[in-house]
Amino acid sequence: MNNVTNNGRHELLSVVPLDLPYVIYVDVCGYCNFSCSFCPCNSSSYKQNERHKLLDYHNIERLCEDLGGGECQVIYLGCFGEPLLNPRIIDMIHILKASKACRELRILTNGYLLSQDLNEKIVGAGADLVRVSIEGLSADDYWKFCKVKLDYDKFISNLNDLFMRSRGTATKVSAKIIAAGLESNEDLQLFQKMFSSITDTCFCENISSGWPFFESGLKKIVGAGQLTYETADEAAKHVCSYPLTHLVVFANGSVGVCCSDWRMDTVVGDLGSQSIYDIWNGEALHAFRRKHLLRQKAEASPSCGVCSMYPPDNIDNDAEKILRRLESLENYSSKVAKE
C-alpha cells in the first residue's frame, strides 16, 4: 500500500504543539451521488439534515485568510460526500493554491463526474493530487455496491483522460479500492493491472470498522493495506494522534477532529465565527486532546469510544511527555479544567 498521507511526517514529540494542523479535510459537499452500502453518507439518516450541506465558498475564503503562508501541509477537498458536486470546486482549488494555504491540495472523489472539460479545469487550477475511489471492477459491481448505473468504459476513459492531461504538470492521479469491491486476490491483481497504467499510484485498503456506529460489512483481502485495529477494545489501548495533527471542516461549517467522524461527534469549533487558528489553539480542542493523551477516548466523544482506526502517528510511548508539554504552556492550565 502506498500511504501518501504520511509522506515526510515528523516525530510528533519533537514538534508538538503545532502552530497549525498538518492536515485539514474540507467536506465541500456533505452529500453524495452514490449510495454505497459500506458508507454512512447516504446509508444512514443520522443527522442527515446537518451533514448533507454544501459548504459556503466564504468558508474557503476564510481558510485562505487563516492559513496563507502558514504550516498546514495538506488540505483534502472531500471527506464524507462527493466534492465534485460543489459547483464552485474549481474556484476553491484556484484560491487555495493562490493563497498558498497548504503545501499540497488533494481531491478525494468517486470520479463519476470526471469529464474532459472538468479534467482540464482541475489540472489547470493546480490540484496536486486527485485520488479516485474505485468501487468495483465492472458496471455490475457499481450497481451492487453503490446503486448507481455506471458506463464503466466511459468511466475508465475519463480517468485515463485525467491522467494524460496531468502529464508534465504538478498534478498526480491515484486510484484506491477498498476490499468490499473485490472478491478475491485475483480481483486485487486485476485491479492493479487495470489501473496501474492510468494512475501514478493505485492501492487497496482493508477497513473493517472505519465508521463509528455504522456497520460497513467490509471484508479483508490478503495483500491490502490495513487501516484499523481488530476491535475497538484493542484500539482503546492506544493513543490517537489525530487531535494533535488534524482538523475536519464539515459541510455545515463546523470544525471537528477526525475524518472518520461522520456523526459530527468531535466538533470543537465553527468556521463561521472562529478562525482555524483560534479553534486549533482553543479550549475545546485542548480539553479533547487531554482526554486522548490520558487514554480516555470514550470521554472525549462517543465516536472516539468505539473507533478502531489506526492513527497516523504512534505516540503510545510519548503521550505522557506530550501532555506535560501541552500543560506547561502559558495559560493552558487556566483553559482546561483538570479532573
Side-chain angles (χ1 to χ4, degrees):
M1 173 182 169
N2 181 7
N3 192 337
V4 295
T5 301
N6 293 334
N7 286 350
R9 296 182 72 87
H10 301 94
E11 181 185 15
L12 282 188
L13 182 61
S14 67
V15 295
V16 292
L18 302 175
D19 290 335
L20 289 168
Y22 274 156
V23 178
I24 301 176
Y25 286 84
V26 184
D27 206 28
V28 298
C29 181
Y31 52 88
C32 188
N33 46 1
F34 285 12
S35 295
C36 300
S37 59
F38 45 81
C39 174
C41 182
N42 287 332
S43 297
S44 173
S45 61
Y46 183 80
K47 288 186 178 179
Q48 197 168 81
N49 289 336
E50 296 176 59
R51 294 188 290 112
H52 286 189
K53 301 289 186 180
L54 203 62
L55 187 72
D56 192 285
Y57 184 72
H58 172 72
N59 289 294
I60 299 296
E61 294 178 314
R62 182 66 180 272
L63 272 180
C64 293
E65 293 172 3
D66 294 344
L67 298 174
E71 298 180 3
C72 181
Q73 298 298 301
V74 179
I75 289 179
Y76 287 97
L77 295 183
C79 191
F80 308 107
E82 171 49 48
L84 299 187
L85 287 171
N86 192 309
R88 300 205 65 181
I89 184 67
I90 301 301
D91 295 334
M92 292 175 175
I93 299 171
H94 273 296
I95 192 174
L96 286 165
K97 291 298 293 184
S99 67
K100 298 182 180 179
C102 57
R103 180 172 60 87
E104 288 191 34
L105 181 64
R106 303 173 180 175
I107 302 172
L108 305 177
T109 174
N110 59 35
Y112 184 85
L113 295 176
L114 292 177
S115 65
Q116 292 183 11
D117 179 60
L118 185 57
N119 293 344
E120 182 67 23
K121 291 177 180 178
I122 290 172
V123 173
D128 294 290
L129 175 73
V130 182
R131 182 183 298 172
V132 180
S133 293
I134 308 300
E135 314 302 353
L137 302 180
S138 69
D140 288 343
D141 286 344
Y142 270 77
W143 178 251
K144 175 182 177 182
F145 294 121
C146 311
K147 293 298 181 285
V148 64
K149 293 183 179 180
L150 180 75
D151 184 332
Y152 202 80
D153 290 338
K154 182 179 179 181
F155 173 74
I156 295 296
S157 176
N158 285 332
L159 180 56
N160 181 61
D161 178 79
L162 174 65
F163 180 66
M164 296 307 298
R165 290 177 189 274
S166 69
R167 300 307 85 189
T169 75
T171 303
K172 302 298 181 184
V173 180
S174 176
K176 179 199 76 173
I177 195 168
I178 58 174
L182 303 173
E183 295 293 336
S184 64
N185 291 328
E186 288 73 23
D187 277 354
L188 177 58
Q189 294 172 3
L190 177 59
F191 162 74
Q192 292 169 336
K193 180 179 180 181
M194 289 173 62
F195 291 94
S196 62
S197 63
I198 59 173
T199 62
D200 293 287
T201 58
C202 62
F203 59 96
C204 178
E205 288 178 350
N206 276 321
I207 304 178
S208 56
S209 300
W211 305 112
F213 298 106
F214 181 79
E215 182 55 52
S216 64
L218 301 187
K219 58 182 177 295
K220 297 180 180 180
I221 295 289
V222 176
Q226 179 67 14
L227 293 184
T228 65
Y229 296 100
E230 289 297 323
T231 65
D233 289 340
E234 174 65 20
K237 301 174 184 177
H238 303 277
V239 180
C240 182
S241 63
Y242 273 108
L244 300 169
T245 58
H246 284 58
L247 282 180
V248 175
V249 178
F250 295 102
N252 68 352
S254 61
V255 179
V257 177
C258 180
C259 58
S260 292
D261 180 26
W262 69 277
R263 290 164 45 95
M264 305 169 71
D265 282 340
T266 66
V267 170
V268 291
D270 192 291
L271 203 56
S273 58
Q274 299 170 277
S275 72
I276 281 291
Y277 184 85
D278 288 341
I279 295 170
W280 184 249
N281 294 283
E283 179 179 350
L285 186 48
H286 278 313
F288 188 89
R289 289 183 181 122
R290 188 171 189 272
K291 293 294 185 184
H292 276 272
L293 291 168
L294 291 172
R295 292 178 168 82
Q296 298 172 353
K297 292 183 179 182
E299 296 181 32
S301 85
S303 287
C304 293
V306 300
C307 181
S308 61
M309 290 292 289
Y310 285 138
D313 300 276
N314 186 338
I315 58 170
D316 287 353
N317 296 329
D318 296 328
E320 185 176 345
K321 295 177 183 177
I322 291 172
L323 180 58
R324 287 203 302 267
R325 181 179 296 177
L326 290 177
E327 295 194 331
S328 69
L329 296 177
E330 184 179 2
N331 296 327
Y332 183 90
S333 297
S334 65
K335 288 183 178 180
V336 182
K338 296 183 179 180
E339 297 175 348

